[in-house]
């Protein structure tokens, strides 16, 4: 990180302004070379009006912000050049910076430097990216809690509890002759580890809400042909996105759309009608439908009120039994032939997509099933990314093994090694312990100017 980097920090295209960010030990000196005023001794956190020039040629009229180390995002000297938003102008200013000593920043390199210089930890870095990509008020609040360090505090508290256990073990092992220290026993460690396990389980459970807020609820509509799957998709999206006909097998591939329910996205997929068929193309669509059931957060199974349940309906009911699901009995405007007693589920609603009778009850059932009302009053302090949750679940698994070892009266010094491993693993969430490869991979997914 000895060199000075530069990149466009705003979206490229025609606009009112474009911001070029420069960071590094030579940031002020390099910008001074192409600015028509001397800013070498300018005070930190000041703005200067002037022109970017190439020798005597004026390139653009700009405002330049000077921010001196260490009170900057990267903890290095930072200069931001506010240009006019034309593509050609912005690129020309950037070209001059490269000619005079800057290097093009890699994706996420500004945030990476902020992390490596101790300005933020990994959860705050990920919160930065989440804030940029947030699409709802809830996802914005979630990202702000990451960025402000609220999520990091959850992990710090867990690690501090582990340090306390490790310190007690170390004192007992190294100074067994002292009578005035608390004697650590397997039973005491077991009680402490059990409390830690409960804390981690609580974080994991609550973080499922974070996943819903950040990524939405992946929802799959399934059912036999002509039960109303495409009609339901069109109703929810409020547009005629899927083709609706009386011909069985009209939908042969997945059709997708997104709606917003109280700040939570529903990522909806309409699937091919599931039935036995000799049509090769339709069979491919049906196989896709069945595979999507496995990965879905929510399954909407549509059944025909005007038909008796058959073998295919029973198979679908069996497939979704242990998944989050809502069973929609459609076509209630027609005489009832379906036997509701054959359906073992509490999540049943009745609709007529033709007349839209009962249609609003579907959204209410989704809110009830995922407890979306509770998210209105929660503090939204969750772990939201798969990397962090995977580490947390790994730590939980390790704790269960430690509990078993303690119950079997294994030596305390062996238990100490496993506890240290958990402490290190949790440190990977915030970046207190990390591997270079992980850091490079994580920041490569960021925007170029961030």
């Amino acid at each position: 990180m000895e060199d000075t980097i530069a990149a466009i920090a705003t979206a490229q295209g025609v606009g009112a302004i474009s911001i070029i960010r420069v960071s590094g030990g030579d940031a002020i000196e390099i910008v001074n070379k192409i600015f028509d005023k001397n800013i070498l001794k300018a005070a930190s956190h000041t703005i200067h009006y002037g022109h970017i020039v190439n020798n005597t040629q004026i390139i653009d009229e700009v405002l330049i912000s000077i921010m001196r180390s260490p009170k900057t995002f990267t903890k290095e000297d930072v200069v931001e050049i506010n240009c006019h938003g034309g593509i050609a102008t912005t690129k020309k200013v950037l070209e001059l910076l490269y000619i005079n000593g800057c290097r093009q920043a890699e994706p996420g390199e500004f945030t990476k430097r902020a992390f490596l210089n101790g300005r933020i930890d990994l959860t705050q870095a990920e919160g930065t990216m989440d804030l940029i990509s947030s699409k709802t008020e809830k996802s914005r609040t979630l990202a702000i809690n990451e960025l402000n360090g609220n999520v990091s505090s959850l992990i710090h508290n867990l690690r501090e509890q582990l340090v306390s256990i490790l310190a007690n073990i170390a004192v007992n092992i190294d100074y067994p002759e002292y009578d005035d220290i608390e004697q650590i026993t397997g039973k005491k460690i077991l009680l402490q580890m059990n409390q830690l396990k409960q804390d981690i389980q609580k974080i994991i459970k609550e973080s499922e809400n974070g996943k819903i807020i950040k990524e939405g609820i992946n929802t799959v509509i399934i059912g036999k042909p002509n039960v109303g799957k495409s009609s339901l998709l069109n109703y929810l999206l409020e547009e005629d996105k899927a083709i609706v006909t009386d011909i069985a097998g009209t939908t042969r591939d997945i059709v997708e759309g997104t709606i917003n329910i109280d700040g939570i996205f529903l990522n909806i997929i309409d699937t091919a009608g599931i039935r036995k068929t000799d049509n090769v193309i339709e069979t491919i669509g049906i196989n896709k439908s069945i595979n999507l059931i496995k990965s879905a957060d929510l399954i909407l199974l549509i059944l025909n009120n005007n038909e008796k349940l058959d073998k295919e309906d029973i198979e679908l009911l069996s497939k979704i039994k242990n998944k989050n699901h809502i069973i929609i009995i459609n076509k209630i405007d027609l005489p009832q032939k379906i036997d509701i007693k054959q359906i073992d589920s509490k999540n049943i609603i009745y609709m007529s997509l033709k007349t839209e009778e009962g249609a609003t009850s579907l959204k209410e059932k989704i809110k009830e099933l995922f407890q979306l009302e509770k998210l209105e009053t929660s503090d939204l302090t969750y772990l939201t990314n798969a990397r962090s949750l995977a580490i947390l679940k790994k730590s939980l698994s390790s704790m269960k093994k430690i509990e078993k070892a303690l119950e079997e009266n294994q030596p305390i010094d062996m238990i100490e090694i496993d506890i240290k491993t958990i402490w290190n693993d949790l440190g990977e969430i915030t970046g207190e312990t990390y591997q270079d490869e992980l850091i490079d991979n994580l920041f490569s997914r960021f925007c170029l100017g961030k």
Side-chain angles (χ1 to χ4, degrees):
M1 298 195 299
E2 298 297 323
D3 50 0
T4 299
I5 57 174
I8 301 170
T10 47
Q12 293 194 42
V14 178
I17 62 169
S18 180
I19 299 174
I20 296 174
R21 179 175 290 160
V22 185
S23 180
D26 297 326
I28 297 172
E29 183 180 341
I30 291 172
V31 174
N32 189 68
K33 293 178 182 178
I34 61 172
F35 193 49
D36 63 357
K37 294 181 179 177
N38 192 324
I39 54 172
L40 291 177
K41 296 183 179 180
S44 183
H45 294 78
T46 56
I47 298 176
H48 304 265
Y49 165 78
H51 299 85
I52 296 295
V53 293
N54 182 16
N55 295 322
T56 58
Q57 180 189 10
I58 294 178
I59 304 300
D60 193 19
E61 182 182 32
V62 300
L63 290 173
I64 287 182
S65 302
I66 305 291
M67 291 161 279
R68 293 185 181 273
S69 168
K71 294 183 179 181
T72 68
F73 179 64
T74 60
K75 296 191 79 172
E76 302 172 333
D77 285 347
V78 173
V79 179
E80 290 187 351
I81 305 172
N82 292 259
C83 315
H84 287 93
I87 296 172
T89 300
T90 307
K91 286 187 174 180
K92 183 62 179 178
V93 175
L94 200 58
E95 178 188 324
L96 289 174
L97 289 170
Y98 296 154
I99 290 171
N100 283 278
C102 283
R103 169 176 65 76
Q104 180 177 349
E106 298 171 356
E109 190 170 359
F110 292 98
T111 311
K112 181 179 178 180
R113 288 189 175 204
F115 165 71
L116 293 174
N117 289 329
R119 171 69 173 74
I120 57 174
D121 64 28
L122 274 192
T123 56
Q124 290 173 301
E126 289 165 331
T128 302
M129 197 60 204
D130 289 344
L131 188 61
I132 292 169
S133 60
S134 61
K135 297 177 182 178
T136 67
E137 178 61 19
K138 284 190 178 71
S139 59
R140 183 199 66 80
T141 304
L142 194 71
I144 283 293
N145 279 334
E146 288 181 281
L147 194 56
N148 288 345
N150 296 347
V151 176
S152 304
S153 296
L154 295 175
I155 305 304
H156 289 317
N157 289 338
L158 294 175
R159 297 187 86 222
E160 284 175 8
Q161 291 179 63
L162 288 168
V163 165
S164 178
I165 296 171
L166 288 168
N168 285 336
I169 292 173
V171 169
N172 275 261
I173 291 174
D174 295 338
Y175 305 100
E177 68 276 11
Y178 288 99
D179 297 326
D180 58 343
I181 60 171
E182 180 188 2
Q183 185 178 3
I184 195 76
T185 63
K187 188 176 181 180
K188 286 182 179 178
I189 296 174
L190 189 59
L191 287 171
Q192 291 171 308
M193 295 302 291
N194 185 56
Q195 181 58 56
L196 265 169
K197 184 182 74 173
Q198 291 179 36
D199 292 343
I200 289 179
Q201 286 173 327
K202 183 174 182 288
I203 295 172
I204 291 173
K205 184 178 179 181
E206 291 181 345
S207 292
E208 294 301 324
N209 291 335
K211 180 178 178 292
I212 288 172
I213 294 169
K214 182 179 175 181
E215 300 176 10
I217 301 170
N218 294 324
T219 306
V220 176
I221 304 172
I222 65 169
K224 294 191 305 184
N226 279 356
V227 292
K229 298 186 301 300
S230 297
S231 295
L232 177 62
L233 178 71
N234 289 341
Y235 167 76
L236 291 170
L237 297 180
E238 298 181 356
E239 63 172 296
D240 294 332
K241 188 161 188 175
I243 299 171
V244 178
T245 73
D246 293 329
I247 303 170
T250 298
T251 303
R252 297 191 174 189
D253 203 351
I254 60 175
V255 183
E256 302 179 66
T258 301
I259 64 169
N260 187 324
I261 299 180
D262 289 356
I264 303 297
F265 281 114
L266 226 66
N267 308 312
I268 311 170
I269 300 175
D270 173 28
T271 64
I274 298 175
R275 64 170 180 171
K276 290 184 178 180
T277 178
D278 294 327
N279 186 293
V280 176
I281 297 175
E282 190 179 353
T283 299
I284 294 171
I286 291 169
N287 288 336
K288 281 186 178 181
S289 303
I290 293 171
N291 288 331
L292 283 167
I293 292 174
K294 300 174 184 177
S295 59
D297 299 317
L298 172 63
I299 298 165
L300 304 179
L301 170 59
I302 305 181
L303 300 174
N304 191 344
N305 180 64
N306 195 40
E307 293 179 356
K308 292 182 179 180
L309 293 177
D310 59 18
K311 184 179 178 181
E312 289 171 339
D313 291 322
I314 300 298
E315 286 180 0
L316 287 174
L317 286 165
S318 176
K319 286 181 183 294
I320 70 168
K321 187 175 182 180
N322 297 318
K323 301 278 294 182
N324 283 327
H325 69 268
I326 297 172
I327 296 170
I328 300 167
I329 309 298
N330 188 30
K331 304 184 183 180
I332 58 173
D333 52 308
L334 299 176
Q336 180 177 334
K337 294 182 181 179
I338 192 170
D339 185 0
I340 301 299
K341 293 179 181 178
Q342 289 182 265
I343 302 174
D344 181 21
S345 176
K346 296 178 181 178
N347 300 319
I348 301 176
I349 62 171
Y350 299 87
M351 295 175 62
S352 170
L353 286 162
K354 184 177 181 180
T355 65
E356 295 189 0
E357 181 181 352
T360 56
S361 60
L362 175 58
K363 292 182 180 180
E364 294 304 316
K365 178 61 75 171
I366 293 171
K367 288 164 66 174
E368 175 191 326
L369 189 61
F370 286 88
Q371 298 181 312
L372 299 187
E373 299 289 350
K374 288 187 177 180
L375 295 183
E376 293 290 339
T377 56
S378 63
D379 64 2
L380 300 185
T381 303
Y382 310 128
L383 292 170
T384 61
N385 65 81
R387 180 190 70 87
S388 298
L389 281 172
I391 293 171
L392 212 55
K393 288 176 181 178
K394 177 186 174 185
S395 298
L396 181 61
S397 178
S398 298
M399 284 184 176
K400 289 177 180 177
K401 291 178 182 177
I402 290 173
E403 284 185 332
K404 185 179 178 182
L406 287 166
E407 288 167 357
E408 294 173 353
N409 294 316
Q410 290 191 16
I412 297 295
D413 53 347
M414 296 300 295
I415 303 295
E416 180 188 21
I417 296 171
D418 294 330
I419 295 174
K420 281 181 179 177
T421 299
I422 296 173
W423 183 80
N424 279 316
D425 288 344
L426 291 175
E428 289 184 16
I429 295 176
T430 55
E432 289 166 276
T433 58
Y434 66 87
Q435 296 176 359
D436 290 340
E437 185 179 351
L438 165 69
I439 299 303
D440 291 341
N441 180 269
L442 190 150
F443 287 104
S444 68
R445 291 175 281 165
F446 277 54
C447 306
L448 184 63
K450 193 63 186 173

